[in-house]
């Protein structure tokens, strides 16, 4: 990585630059993939919270398995689905560090369902960035637990796509986790448009705040595109998030410790008190 | 060495771990090792440590992975079915070169098996256990005291070689009450620093704990580096006891089985039979050097196990055809009696084939 400062012409001001929490490396993501946007949002938030030097990332198995090359952070690469357990181990040893996982839908909502649920049950002070692209990107576009009914994948093929009778229904992770007392902040955003991206960044910041202030687990689900797995153009893929995914996975904040009344209820419940 | 106290095997192992600087324990209940997590759940908070009852053995071993990667001395314990689940994490720890201690109080298998003592996880423990070309250091202590002693050693070697270490006990040893001398607690501040740990990239380049090598050439290189480490371990860390080294015949056994065999050997010697014992303490590295000391004079070896014959393969490799190697075992939770072992010794000496 070359950290060469360019001389800035007089009277100009930097309005956009690479966050310090990212490395200067070309990613392997497919053109049009939103993993890169998600990386950048997380990195911007870490920079803004001045957390880069005390952050520890837990990378998943999935297209973002190489996240340790792209984030300029201490990182542990975890076995498929186990990132919340690994993050638990790290956070319990280093309670003053900012520990977060970055996981896909196969990683978090299929093989790692038990790990994410119980990390939330325990109220682990970790942050979880959950990339829901309704598919297993890395292994070549197989059905994910979040694959929509009727959606074609290599294992839910034409002519029916995912069929409820055979393959069940898409799992709504935020709705499920928001039922757990140990989850302090649960929100779903989308990377489909500049407005949504700005909102998603606010969710991410809040999910880190939940950890920094010791409230419990913070998770942000990001509806993301996998234009290659979906066999669409990048632009169509973004439109498909809005037209097809949002109706099944509504956007919004499902749980927020800081919302009126929620805090009081949590404090009354000594089982999940901070400390 | 401090005070001598009467303790149950499982609890003695747990206390020994605390004294070896273990402050993080992650486990999931399974008989016959529940006294370890139970003890840790009350003991660790007293010393500023953390106990978590995980949702599964998979989660527990991956918590060990995270804690070890963050620089702590961490451990988990379980019994056979649970240790099968831990193999994923053990393989990842071996690959990512993370230290940690895994106790397996072996019970009868396969499947759900039973809850009585067994040694049928020997292959799993000594051949790596999970996927890939790797080994873990494996101890097979025979007494509660030896369990306590190897616990300190286990944490020391785990850190020294950055590799997971397995302590292979059995239900009998976990439940047994014996007097033990506990070591003085290690001072955490005196433990070696771990500059590779992920503690936040403050003023340095990021530390990355990883087992992914997409490039085959890189992956082979990584494997060769691991192998070089295993070669050093094999050359320097073998532990075994030889009883009556001048004997003509030898029994080979480890763990609880070795204690039973010791009785049988006493009886055989009282009858005038020239029988000794080779007792492996490290099961990997297998103590081939101990065999070299006696194999030239030995007329034969009898391997006794609580399995249908697993360690006997390593005995045959060590003996390498230089004299006959026999086997006797009970399995599924059945424990060989000293009479049975004595009868097998007599058969060996008389040259009878069963
Ligand atoms: C134990 C195990 N099972 C299966 C795999 C193969 N595998 C790698 S990534 C993946 C799914 C990834 O999908 P997702 O988590 O949605 O991430 P994406 O690639 O879509 O970002 C699978 C099944 C594996 N590496 N390990
Ligand atoms: S396969 Fe899909 S998720 Fe993976 S990098 Fe390509 S577009 Fe992104
Ligand atoms: Mg996916």
């Amino acid at each position: 990585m070359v950290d060469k400062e360019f001389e800035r012409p007089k009277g100009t001001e930097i309005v956009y630059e690479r966050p310090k929490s990212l490395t200067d490396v070309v990613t392997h993501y497919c053109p049009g993939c939103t993993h890169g946007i998600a990386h950048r949002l997380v990195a911007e938030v870490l920079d803004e919270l001045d957390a880069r030097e005390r952050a520890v990332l837990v990378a998943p198995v999935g297209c973002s398995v190489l996240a340790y090359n792209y984030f300029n952070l201490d990182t542990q690469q975890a076995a498929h689905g186990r990132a919340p357990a690994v993050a638990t181990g790290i956070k319990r040893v280093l309670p003053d560090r900012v520990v977060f996982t970055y996981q896909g839908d196969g990683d978090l909502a299929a093989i790692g369902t038990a790990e994410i649920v119980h990390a939330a049950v325990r109220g682990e002070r970790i942050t979880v960035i959950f990339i829901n692209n309704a598919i297993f990107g890395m292994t070549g576009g197989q059905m994910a637990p979040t694959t929509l009914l009727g959606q074609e994948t290599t294992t839910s093929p034409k002519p029916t796509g995912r069929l409820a009778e055979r393959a069940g229904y898409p799992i709504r992770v935020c709705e499920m986790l928001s039922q757990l007392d140990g989850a302090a902040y649960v929100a779903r955003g989308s990377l489909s448009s500049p407005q949504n991206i700005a909102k998603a960044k606010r969710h991410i910041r809040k999910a880190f705040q939940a950890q920094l202030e010791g409230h419990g687990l913070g998770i942000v689900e990001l509806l993301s595109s996998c234009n290659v797995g979906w066999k669409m153009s990048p632009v169509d893929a973004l439109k498909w998030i809005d037209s097809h995914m949002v109706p099944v996975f509504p956007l919004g904040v499902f749980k927020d410790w800081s919302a009126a009344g929620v805090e009081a209820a949590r404090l009354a419940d000594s089982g999940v008190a901070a400390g | 060495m401090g005070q001598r106290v009467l303790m149950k095997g499982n609890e003695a192992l747990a206390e020994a771990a605390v004294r070896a600087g273990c402050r993080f324990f992650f486990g999931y209940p399974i008989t016959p090792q529940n006294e370890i997590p139970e003890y840790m759940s009350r003991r660790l908070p007293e010393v500023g440590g953390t106990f978590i009852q995980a949702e599964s053995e998979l989660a527990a071993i991956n918590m060990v992975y995270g804690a070890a990667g963050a620089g702590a001395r961490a451990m988990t314990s379980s019994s056979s079915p649970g240790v099968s689940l831990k193999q994923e994490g053990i393989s990842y720890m071996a690959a990512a070169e993370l230290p940690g201690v895994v106790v397996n109080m072996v019970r009868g298998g396969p499947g759900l098996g039973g809850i009585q003592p067994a040694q049928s996880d020997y292959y799993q423990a000594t051949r790596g256990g999970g996927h890939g070309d790797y080994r873990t250091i494996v101890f097979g202590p025979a007494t509660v005291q030896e369990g306590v002693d190897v616990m300190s050693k286990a944490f020391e070697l785990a850190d020294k070689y950055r590799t997971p270490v397995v302590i292979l006990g059995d239900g009998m040893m976990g439940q047994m009450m014996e007097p033990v001398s506990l070591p003085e607690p290690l001072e955490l501040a005196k433990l070696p620093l771990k500059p590779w740990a992920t503690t936040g990239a403050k003023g340095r380049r990021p530390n990355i704990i990883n087992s992914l090598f997409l490039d085959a050439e890189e992956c082979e290189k990584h494997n060769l580096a691991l192998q070089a480490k295993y070669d050093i371990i094999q050359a320097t860390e073998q532990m075994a006891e030889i009883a009556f080294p001048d004997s003509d015949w030898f029994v080979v056994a480890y763990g609880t089985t070795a204690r039973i065999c010791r009785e049988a050997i006493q009886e055989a010697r009282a009858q005038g039979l020239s029988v000794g014992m080779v007792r492996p303490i490290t099961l990997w590295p297998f103590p081939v050097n101990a065999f070299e000391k006696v194999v030239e004079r030995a007329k034969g070896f009898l391997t006794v196990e609580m399995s249908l014959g697993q360690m006997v393969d390593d005995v045959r490799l060590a003996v390498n055809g230089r004299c006959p190697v026999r086997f006797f075992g009970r399995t599924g939770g059945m424990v060989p009696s000293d009479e049975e072992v004595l009868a097998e010794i007599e058969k060996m000496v008389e040259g009878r084939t069963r």
Side-chain angles (χ1 to χ4, degrees):
Chain A
M1 200 186 9
V2 195
D3 279 324
K4 213 169 172 189
E5 281 275 345
F6 287 99
E7 208 164 308
R8 182 147 43 98
K10 277 196 174 61
T12 60
E13 145 186 41
I14 292 176
V15 291
Y16 192 81
E17 65 181 334
R18 180 182 299 281
K20 292 196 170 44
S21 296
L22 287 182
T23 56
D24 190 359
V25 163
V26 177
T27 75
H28 71 288
Y29 296 118
C30 307
C33 176
T34 51
H35 266 304
I37 298 174
H39 282 21
R40 181 171 175 110
L41 293 184
V42 172
E44 284 179 0
V45 168
L46 289 173
D47 279 13
E48 287 160 20
L49 295 171
D50 199 19
R52 190 193 79 80
E53 294 188 331
R54 50 198 174 107
V56 183
L57 161 67
V58 183
V61 178
C63 278
S64 47
V65 64
L66 293 172
Y68 54 79
N69 283 336
Y70 310 142
F71 282 100
N72 186 21
L73 307 172
D74 272 13
T75 304
Q76 293 195 24
Q77 202 286 313
H80 196 23
R82 318 291 175 228
V86 172
T88 296
I90 300 169
K91 184 71 179 185
R92 295 300 186 106
V93 173
L94 303 167
D96 62 346
R97 303 306 199 280
V98 181
V99 181
F100 72 105
T101 71
Y102 184 105
Q103 304 175 256
D105 40 42
D107 197 82
L108 182 142
I111 195 166
T113 314
E115 283 77 10
I116 186 61
V117 167
H118 286 274
V121 165
R122 290 188 303 270
E124 295 295 342
R125 275 70 175 156
I126 61 171
T127 302
V128 176
I129 307 299
F130 169 37
I131 304 298
N132 177 358
N133 58 11
I135 204 157
F136 283 17
M138 190 195 205
T139 38
Q142 296 84 1
M143 185 183 75
T146 46
T147 292
L148 305 184
L149 290 183
Q151 184 185 337
E152 286 168 11
T153 70
T154 58
T155 51
S156 59
K158 279 183 193 356
T160 58
R162 183 177 188 170
L163 208 57
E165 293 84 334
R166 285 192 209 139
Y169 303 86
I171 182 170
R172 293 185 185 88
V173 168
C174 285
E175 286 81 343
M176 184 173 79
L177 293 184
S178 63
Q179 301 305 306
L180 302 174
D181 293 345
Y185 184 76
V186 181
R188 182 183 289 125
S190 158
L191 301 179
S192 59
S193 68
Q195 297 92 314
N196 280 335
I197 289 170
K199 263 192 222 161
K201 183 174 169 185
R202 287 197 287 276
H203 293 325
I204 293 171
R205 175 181 261 277
K206 203 82 192 265
F208 275 103
Q209 270 167 355
Q211 171 176 185
L212 289 167
E213 295 170 18
H215 297 290
L217 184 135
I219 178 169
V220 180
E221 174 174 340
L222 297 171
L223 301 186
S224 306
S225 69
C226 173
N227 46 288
V228 168
W230 297 352
K231 300 183 173 44
M232 290 178 201
S233 75
V235 173
D236 286 347
L238 294 180
K239 287 185 188 148
W240 195 82
I241 293 178
D242 289 337
S243 60
H244 287 73
M245 287 182 80
V246 171
V248 180
F249 302 111
L251 306 182
V253 177
F254 294 83
K255 191 155 179 195
D256 182 348
W257 83 93
S258 61
V262 178
E263 173 80 314
R266 279 181 51 78
L267 289 178
D269 186 352
S270 60
V272 293
Chain B
M1 288 286 156
Q3 76 267 44
R4 220 167 145 69
V5 287
L6 191 66
M7 283 182 100
K8 215 181 212 192
N10 281 332
E11 297 192 336
L13 279 182
E15 179 58 31
V18 173
R19 287 171 186 236
C22 173
R23 290 293 178 275
F24 295 88
F25 181 94
F26 310 99
Y28 185 83
I30 183 169
T31 308
Q33 60 81 57
N34 290 322
E35 294 83 0
I36 299 178
E38 285 166 1
Y39 187 90
M40 288 304 209
S41 71
R42 56 180 191 271
R43 184 73 173 102
L44 281 174
E46 289 173 8
V47 291
T50 294
F51 163 87
I52 295 184
Q53 180 166 326
E55 61 271 29
S56 70
E57 289 85 353
L58 275 168
I61 190 71
N62 282 288
M63 290 174 191
V64 173
Y65 180 106
R73 285 197 163 178
M75 77 176 274
T76 183
S77 68
S78 189
S79 179
S80 310
V83 175
S84 290
L85 282 182
K86 289 188 198 293
Q87 294 306 330
E88 175 191 75
I90 296 173
S91 167
Y92 274 72
M93 286 177 71
E97 300 196 81
L98 289 177
V101 174
V102 178
V103 175
N104 182 359
M105 286 294 170
V106 184
R107 62 187 237 182
L112 198 49
I115 59 169
Q116 303 299 327
Q119 294 181 316
S120 38
D121 297 353
Y122 179 93
Y123 279 153
Q124 186 193 55
T126 58
R127 267 60 184 164
H131 59 286
D133 260 339
Y134 76 96
R135 299 288 180 135
T136 57
I137 296 172
V138 185
F139 289 101
T143 62
V144 176
Q145 182 66 57
E146 197 167 64
V148 165
D149 297 343
V150 302
M151 183 59 84
S152 310
K153 188 93 183 154
F155 275 105
E156 182 195 316
L157 295 186
D159 276 354
K160 179 174 174 189
Y161 295 108
R162 291 183 57 184
T163 196
V165 177
V166 174
I167 296 178
L168 205 65
D170 59 65
M172 187 115 68
M173 131 169 242
Q175 299 304 317
M176 196 158 15
M177 289 271 266
E178 280 188 321
V180 285
S181 295
L182 293 164
E184 289 302 325
L186 283 183
E187 271 181 60
L188 293 191
K190 289 193 181 152
L191 292 178
L193 293 176
K194 296 177 178 172
W196 47 263
T198 58
T199 53
K202 190 174 166 70
R204 57 159 170 75
R205 296 174 66 87
N207 284 341
I208 293 167
I209 291 181
N210 177 38
S211 65
L212 178 72
F213 299 88
L214 282 172
D215 182 79
E217 217 167 293
E218 287 298 309
C219 196
E220 184 185 51
K221 233 197 258 172
H222 177 61
N223 271 281
L224 292 175
L226 290 179
Q227 193 57 49
K229 175 167 86 174
Y230 300 148
D231 288 346
I232 294 171
I233 295 173
Q234 237 163 343
T236 53
E237 305 297 349
Q238 295 178 26
M239 281 170 67
E241 181 203 345
I242 305 176
F244 310 113
D246 300 331
S247 305
D248 293 339
W249 307 90
F250 289 90
V251 174
V252 187
Y254 70 98
T256 297
T257 309
R259 301 174 70 145
I260 297 160
C261 290
R262 202 182 289 277
E263 301 277 317
I265 288 166
Q266 301 290 1
E267 290 162 43
R269 293 185 73 85
Q271 291 177 24
L273 302 181
S274 174
V275 186
M277 175 154 71
V278 179
R279 182 174 72 84
I281 300 171
T282 52
L283 305 177
W284 195 91
F286 194 69
V288 288
N289 295 346
F291 285 84
E292 283 309 315
K293 286 190 186 145
V294 299
V295 70
E296 296 302 342
R297 58 166 300 114
K299 293 182 178 163
F301 291 85
L302 168 66
T303 308
V304 183
E305 299 175 55
M306 288 192 280
S307 82
L308 291 180
Q310 300 192 10
M311 180 176 71
V312 65
D313 287 2
D314 284 336
V315 176
R316 290 199 176 106
L317 286 170
V319 169
N320 203 12
R322 286 174 281 182
C323 64
V325 174
R326 302 168 67 106
F327 173 76
F328 174 70
R330 299 294 303 269
T331 196
M334 293 303 290
V335 179
S337 67
D338 48 350
E339 292 88 2
E340 282 175 319
V341 176
L342 180 60
E344 291 299 320
I345 292 173
E346 288 166 351
K347 275 191 220 167
M348 168 168 72
V349 173
E350 290 162 17
R352 280 193 276 137
T353 48
R354 306 260 136 195

